[in-house]
Amino acid sequence: MSVTREQVAKIASLARIKVDEGDLDHFVPEFNAILGFVEQLGEVDTSQVEPMTAVIPQALRLRDDVIDADPLTGGGKQADVLANAPVAEHGFFGVPKVIE
Amino acid sequence: MTDLTNLGVKAIRDGVAAGDFTAREVAEGFNANVAAAADLNAFIVTTPEHALAAADAVDAKRAKGEELGVMAGVPIGMKDLFATRGVQTSAASAILEGFKPEYESTVSQKLWDAGAGMLGKLNLDQFAMGSSNETSHFGNVANPWKANDGGNAVLAPGGSSGGSSAAVAARLAPAATGTDTGGSIRQPAAFTGISGIKPTYGRCSRWGIVAFASSLDQAGPMARSVEDCAVMLGAMAGFDPKDSTSLDAPVPDWAGALNADLRGKKVGIPKEYRMDGTDAEILASWDDGIAWLKDAGAEVVDVSLPHTKYALPAYYIVAPAEASSNLARYDGVRYGLRDLPEGAGLQDMYAATRAAGFGPEVKRRIMLGTYVLSAGFYDAYYTQAMKVRTLIQRDFNEAFETCDVILAPTTPTAAFPLGDKLDDPLAMYLNDVFSVPASLAGLPAMSVPSRLNAKGLPLGLQLVGKAMDEQMVLNAGLAIEQRSGFDAQPEKWW
């Protein structure tokens, strides 16, 4: 299977990455080379095989239903959470206007 | 006095504990080596004050007669994929330049608690995506080794833990942390003549490690001896409730139980790794390894891993798929870079930020992952790859019915010159052909140096063990280390 220039542009848009014509010039052939390589997986008969869900099987744990059980990952961290934000105002993340 | 920067982890720890030298002297020695090695570009940020503060704390504890940790007095390099409180954590990407975490990763915290200090944050391939350390936003890392063929080409240190491998090989650090998603500890270790182990998936907490492919990512130590790896792995591993895939299992005393006597053990040689066109010197190094393990008392048996050739294509679906999901968080809102073109709305800001912040290889993998997960292609690519992953794990399980550990080369070639494979992503991916299968199966795997090739460059041998059996991997690694006599060092040019 190979992808067209339009498809690669569409994928970039889905991935929220702005690409220009020059980017597409190299992404399209690179994509097709990689897809051509992974194509060989189709040779493998997997009709009797379950897809892997966990590489080392283990049950997911439940934590106790306690507020702030681990203070590190509990609440009350507003200043820490906002410390690296490009724009933070009034205790919130700042973003450009979303509603016209 | 001997040059303290020639000492490894255990020798430093024991020397500090015995009072042969102080932790401060050790930290000062390595800080000086780091400062003098800018040509290697192994570090993105250096933190000599952190190394000195940790050393002073150890010296003070010793003076008071308090018990010292297993890494006490050992300054290490920290791959810049581990969140370190107050110190830039960039994943070698422009999108995280300037990001200073408000928290510490579990693995780095455990190392500091064990008495280690930090020399700095080590360069790597951007978001750990690469095999040559050429995708870093902060420039290439140079391999301290050079070929003896008269050329002066600068070689790749391997990747993605290329800063780690270069720093340890060049004596800028006695050890460093690495992370391994498809070979990112083992391949750079092989390219620089050092040792490195990726433990069983889940041994080391992923909490606070910048995520690439979460079902594959695993941290591990890189050092100049098997014993140093065992000591440091013991300090890094352990259950962490903050990582839902962390293994709730006791951490064995790997270093204490090291034993190179392999009598009664079986070593499997996978015939599928003997691929057409494999470098003759790689095959000769493999034969050396077989002879050494026999000499250590092991019985050598042939094993088959029939789906080996499908590991790399499966990996290049699974890893990008997980990356496309994990890296969705870099949107210019919560941390890192924001590119807001004049008059742009939210969606345009996302797209502009990600275009400006991610390097080409990262974009390639995010987009590939987005494609294989998209409606209409999901089953043909992603589901099929996860089924093949089941088969690859089954191959290993069946092989381990007849052997205790598998021996194979780490890489298909020795280190190559920077730039050699940069224009051909597929050729670069093929570097990981021997290391990816163990990653897909979640198994412990280690690289140890074997010999220098005709060009004077180190080659590595890889040991792959059963899940949870790091001890067997380390023991076989030690048996090789004791017989290879590998003590070569790169000639200093930096």
PDB file of all heavy atoms in Angstrom, chain B residues 31 58 70 84 91 109 118 128 165 168 191 201 209 212 244 274 278 304 450 474:
ATOM      1  N   ASN B  31      33.647  16.189  37.428  1.00  0.00           N
ATOM      2  CA  ASN B  31      33.215  17.514  36.964  1.00  0.00           C
ATOM      3  C   ASN B  31      34.253  18.116  36.015  1.00  0.00           C
ATOM      4  O   ASN B  31      33.908  18.739  35.001  1.00  0.00           O
ATOM      5  CB  ASN B  31      33.006  18.461  38.154  1.00  0.00           C
ATOM      6  CG  ASN B  31      31.657  18.263  38.838  1.00  0.00           C
ATOM      7  OD1 ASN B  31      30.735  17.694  38.253  1.00  0.00           O
ATOM      8  ND2 ASN B  31      31.543  18.734  40.071  1.00  0.00           N
ATOM      9  N   VAL B  58      27.353  12.800  51.310  1.00  0.00           N
ATOM     10  CA  VAL B  58      27.885  11.460  51.584  1.00  0.00           C
ATOM     11  C   VAL B  58      29.093  11.556  52.530  1.00  0.00           C
ATOM     12  O   VAL B  58      29.191  10.790  53.500  1.00  0.00           O
ATOM     13  CB  VAL B  58      28.273  10.749  50.263  1.00  0.00           C
ATOM     14  CG1 VAL B  58      29.119   9.512  50.534  1.00  0.00           C
ATOM     15  CG2 VAL B  58      27.015  10.376  49.485  1.00  0.00           C
ATOM     16  N   VAL B  70      23.956   2.287  48.418  1.00  0.00           N
ATOM     17  CA  VAL B  70      24.718   1.433  47.493  1.00  0.00           C
ATOM     18  C   VAL B  70      25.376   2.238  46.371  1.00  0.00           C
ATOM     19  O   VAL B  70      26.250   1.728  45.671  1.00  0.00           O
ATOM     20  CB  VAL B  70      23.840   0.327  46.854  1.00  0.00           C
ATOM     21  CG1 VAL B  70      23.341  -0.643  47.899  1.00  0.00           C
ATOM     22  CG2 VAL B  70      22.692   0.909  46.054  1.00  0.00           C
ATOM     23  N   THR B  84      13.902  15.828  36.271  1.00  0.00           N
ATOM     24  CA  THR B  84      14.730  16.185  37.412  1.00  0.00           C
ATOM     25  C   THR B  84      14.261  17.544  37.919  1.00  0.00           C
ATOM     26  O   THR B  84      14.226  18.506  37.155  1.00  0.00           O
ATOM     27  CB  THR B  84      16.215  16.262  37.009  1.00  0.00           C
ATOM     28  OG1 THR B  84      16.311  16.946  35.752  1.00  0.00           O
ATOM     29  CG2 THR B  84      16.816  14.873  36.876  1.00  0.00           C
ATOM     30  N   ALA B  91      14.192  16.083  26.744  1.00  0.00           N
ATOM     31  CA  ALA B  91      14.087  14.972  25.788  1.00  0.00           C
ATOM     32  C   ALA B  91      14.809  15.320  24.478  1.00  0.00           C
ATOM     33  O   ALA B  91      14.490  14.776  23.427  1.00  0.00           O
ATOM     34  CB  ALA B  91      12.629  14.583  25.530  1.00  0.00           C
ATOM     35  N   GLN B 109      15.130   9.711  41.621  1.00  0.00           N
ATOM     36  CA  GLN B 109      15.010   9.886  43.073  1.00  0.00           C
ATOM     37  C   GLN B 109      15.635   8.711  43.826  1.00  0.00           C
ATOM     38  O   GLN B 109      16.331   8.893  44.825  1.00  0.00           O
ATOM     39  CB  GLN B 109      13.534  10.030  43.475  1.00  0.00           C
ATOM     40  CG  GLN B 109      13.348  10.380  44.950  1.00  0.00           C
ATOM     41  CD  GLN B 109      13.955  11.736  45.307  1.00  0.00           C
ATOM     42  OE1 GLN B 109      13.669  12.740  44.663  1.00  0.00           O
ATOM     43  NE2 GLN B 109      14.842  11.771  46.302  1.00  0.00           N
ATOM     44  N   MET B 118      24.469  13.972  40.592  1.00  0.00           N
ATOM     45  CA  MET B 118      24.236  14.177  39.150  1.00  0.00           C
ATOM     46  C   MET B 118      25.263  15.126  38.540  1.00  0.00           C
ATOM     47  O   MET B 118      25.379  16.280  38.940  1.00  0.00           O
ATOM     48  CB  MET B 118      22.825  14.725  38.918  1.00  0.00           C
ATOM     49  CG  MET B 118      22.520  14.977  37.440  1.00  0.00           C
ATOM     50  SD  MET B 118      20.747  15.179  37.109  1.00  0.00           S
ATOM     51  CE  MET B 118      20.457  16.783  37.878  1.00  0.00           C
ATOM     52  N   ALA B 128      14.108  10.142  22.292  1.00  0.00           N
ATOM     53  CA  ALA B 128      14.681   8.783  22.249  1.00  0.00           C
ATOM     54  C   ALA B 128      14.408   8.090  20.922  1.00  0.00           C
ATOM     55  O   ALA B 128      14.442   6.861  20.830  1.00  0.00           O
ATOM     56  CB  ALA B 128      14.194   7.928  23.416  1.00  0.00           C
ATOM     57  N   SER B 165      26.314   6.755  26.520  1.00  0.00           N
ATOM     58  CA  SER B 165      27.381   5.844  26.110  1.00  0.00           C
ATOM     59  C   SER B 165      28.699   6.598  25.932  1.00  0.00           C
ATOM     60  O   SER B 165      29.749   6.139  26.375  1.00  0.00           O
ATOM     61  CB  SER B 165      26.993   5.109  24.822  1.00  0.00           C
ATOM     62  OG  SER B 165      26.912   5.988  23.721  1.00  0.00           O
ATOM     63  N   VAL B 168      30.214   7.632  29.412  1.00  0.00           N
ATOM     64  CA  VAL B 168      30.808   6.537  30.198  1.00  0.00           C
ATOM     65  C   VAL B 168      32.097   6.050  29.530  1.00  0.00           C
ATOM     66  O   VAL B 168      33.101   5.808  30.202  1.00  0.00           O
ATOM     67  CB  VAL B 168      29.789   5.390  30.383  1.00  0.00           C
ATOM     68  CG1 VAL B 168      30.445   4.189  31.066  1.00  0.00           C
ATOM     69  CG2 VAL B 168      28.588   5.866  31.197  1.00  0.00           C
ATOM     70  N   PHE B 191      28.387   0.213  20.682  1.00  0.00           N
ATOM     71  CA  PHE B 191      29.156   1.136  19.832  1.00  0.00           C
ATOM     72  C   PHE B 191      30.294   1.819  20.571  1.00  0.00           C
ATOM     73  O   PHE B 191      31.153   2.435  19.946  1.00  0.00           O
ATOM     74  CB  PHE B 191      28.224   2.222  19.263  1.00  0.00           C
ATOM     75  CG  PHE B 191      27.503   1.826  18.002  1.00  0.00           C
ATOM     76  CD1 PHE B 191      27.414   0.497  17.608  1.00  0.00           C
ATOM     77  CD2 PHE B 191      26.912   2.789  17.181  1.00  0.00           C
ATOM     78  CE1 PHE B 191      26.754   0.125  16.450  1.00  0.00           C
ATOM     79  CE2 PHE B 191      26.256   2.425  16.006  1.00  0.00           C
ATOM     80  CZ  PHE B 191      26.172   1.096  15.644  1.00  0.00           C
ATOM     81  N   TYR B 201      10.607  -5.644  31.419  1.00  0.00           N
ATOM     82  CA  TYR B 201       9.649  -4.542  31.389  1.00  0.00           C
ATOM     83  C   TYR B 201       8.908  -4.459  32.724  1.00  0.00           C
ATOM     84  O   TYR B 201       8.361  -5.464  33.195  1.00  0.00           O
ATOM     85  CB  TYR B 201       8.635  -4.747  30.249  1.00  0.00           C
ATOM     86  CG  TYR B 201       7.614  -3.637  30.181  1.00  0.00           C
ATOM     87  CD1 TYR B 201       7.926  -2.422  29.588  1.00  0.00           C
ATOM     88  CD2 TYR B 201       6.361  -3.795  30.742  1.00  0.00           C
ATOM     89  CE1 TYR B 201       7.007  -1.388  29.560  1.00  0.00           C
ATOM     90  CE2 TYR B 201       5.430  -2.766  30.716  1.00  0.00           C
ATOM     91  CZ  TYR B 201       5.761  -1.569  30.127  1.00  0.00           C
ATOM     92  OH  TYR B 201       4.845  -0.551  30.105  1.00  0.00           O
ATOM     93  N   ILE B 209       9.593   9.553  33.485  1.00  0.00           N
ATOM     94  CA  ILE B 209      10.416   9.414  32.280  1.00  0.00           C
ATOM     95  C   ILE B 209       9.562   9.884  31.107  1.00  0.00           C
ATOM     96  O   ILE B 209       8.412   9.456  30.963  1.00  0.00           O
ATOM     97  CB  ILE B 209      10.850   7.950  32.048  1.00  0.00           C
ATOM     98  CG1 ILE B 209      11.669   7.432  33.235  1.00  0.00           C
ATOM     99  CG2 ILE B 209      11.662   7.837  30.756  1.00  0.00           C
ATOM    100  CD1 ILE B 209      12.059   5.960  33.123  1.00  0.00           C
ATOM    101  N   PHE B 212       7.908   7.612  25.323  1.00  0.00           N
ATOM    102  CA  PHE B 212       8.025   7.436  23.874  1.00  0.00           C
ATOM    103  C   PHE B 212       7.006   6.366  23.480  1.00  0.00           C
ATOM    104  O   PHE B 212       5.952   6.671  22.916  1.00  0.00           O
ATOM    105  CB  PHE B 212       9.477   7.092  23.534  1.00  0.00           C
ATOM    106  CG  PHE B 212       9.727   6.465  22.180  1.00  0.00           C
ATOM    107  CD1 PHE B 212       8.786   6.488  21.151  1.00  0.00           C
ATOM    108  CD2 PHE B 212      10.962   5.867  21.913  1.00  0.00           C
ATOM    109  CE1 PHE B 212       9.060   5.903  19.904  1.00  0.00           C
ATOM    110  CE2 PHE B 212      11.229   5.290  20.675  1.00  0.00           C
ATOM    111  CZ  PHE B 212      10.266   5.300  19.681  1.00  0.00           C
ATOM    112  N   SER B 244       1.438   2.188  36.620  1.00  0.00           N
ATOM    113  CA  SER B 244       0.495   1.058  36.652  1.00  0.00           C
ATOM    114  C   SER B 244       1.096  -0.212  36.062  1.00  0.00           C
ATOM    115  O   SER B 244       0.575  -1.299  36.269  1.00  0.00           O
ATOM    116  CB  SER B 244      -0.786   1.420  35.893  1.00  0.00           C
ATOM    117  OG  SER B 244      -0.501   1.609  34.531  1.00  0.00           O
ATOM    118  N   ARG B 274      21.602 -15.317  12.306  1.00  0.00           N
ATOM    119  CA  ARG B 274      22.724 -15.446  11.380  1.00  0.00           C
ATOM    120  C   ARG B 274      22.230 -15.030   9.993  1.00  0.00           C
ATOM    121  O   ARG B 274      21.977 -15.849   9.131  1.00  0.00           O
ATOM    122  CB  ARG B 274      23.228 -16.890  11.374  1.00  0.00           C
ATOM    123  CG  ARG B 274      24.713 -17.030  11.155  1.00  0.00           C
ATOM    124  CD  ARG B 274      25.190 -18.442  11.464  1.00  0.00           C
ATOM    125  NE  ARG B 274      25.501 -18.635  12.877  1.00  0.00           N
ATOM    126  CZ  ARG B 274      26.682 -18.349  13.424  1.00  0.00           C
ATOM    127  NH1 ARG B 274      27.658 -17.857  12.701  1.00  0.00           N
ATOM    128  NH2 ARG B 274      26.893 -18.548  14.717  1.00  0.00           N
ATOM    129  N   THR B 278      25.564 -10.494   7.107  1.00  0.00           N
ATOM    130  CA  THR B 278      26.063  -9.976   8.388  1.00  0.00           C
ATOM    131  C   THR B 278      27.589  -9.900   8.337  1.00  0.00           C
ATOM    132  O   THR B 278      28.252 -10.793   7.819  1.00  0.00           O
ATOM    133  CB  THR B 278      25.623 -10.881   9.553  1.00  0.00           C
ATOM    134  OG1 THR B 278      24.201 -10.999   9.536  1.00  0.00           O
ATOM    135  CG2 THR B 278      26.036 -10.300  10.891  1.00  0.00           C
ATOM    136  N   SER B 304      15.521 -21.790  17.881  1.00  0.00           N
ATOM    137  CA  SER B 304      14.910 -21.113  16.733  1.00  0.00           C
ATOM    138  C   SER B 304      13.924 -20.058  17.208  1.00  0.00           C
ATOM    139  O   SER B 304      13.119 -20.296  18.108  1.00  0.00           O
ATOM    140  CB  SER B 304      14.191 -22.148  15.863  1.00  0.00           C
ATOM    141  OG  SER B 304      13.536 -21.481  14.804  1.00  0.00           O
ATOM    142  N   SER B 450      32.979  -7.227  23.422  1.00  0.00           N
ATOM    143  CA  SER B 450      33.663  -8.496  23.157  1.00  0.00           C
ATOM    144  C   SER B 450      35.087  -8.281  22.660  1.00  0.00           C
ATOM    145  O   SER B 450      36.013  -8.890  23.161  1.00  0.00           O
ATOM    146  CB  SER B 450      32.883  -9.307  22.127  1.00  0.00           C
ATOM    147  OG  SER B 450      32.789  -8.610  20.903  1.00  0.00           O
ATOM    148  N   LEU B 474      23.062 -11.266  33.715  1.00  0.00           N
ATOM    149  CA  LEU B 474      24.261 -10.648  34.302  1.00  0.00           C
ATOM    150  C   LEU B 474      25.366 -11.694  34.491  1.00  0.00           C
ATOM    151  O   LEU B 474      26.546 -11.407  34.242  1.00  0.00           O
ATOM    152  CB  LEU B 474      23.899 -10.002  35.644  1.00  0.00           C
ATOM    153  CG  LEU B 474      23.013  -8.749  35.556  1.00  0.00           C
ATOM    154  CD1 LEU B 474      22.330  -8.476  36.892  1.00  0.00           C
ATOM    155  CD2 LEU B 474      23.834  -7.531  35.121  1.00  0.00           C
TER     156      LEU B 474
END
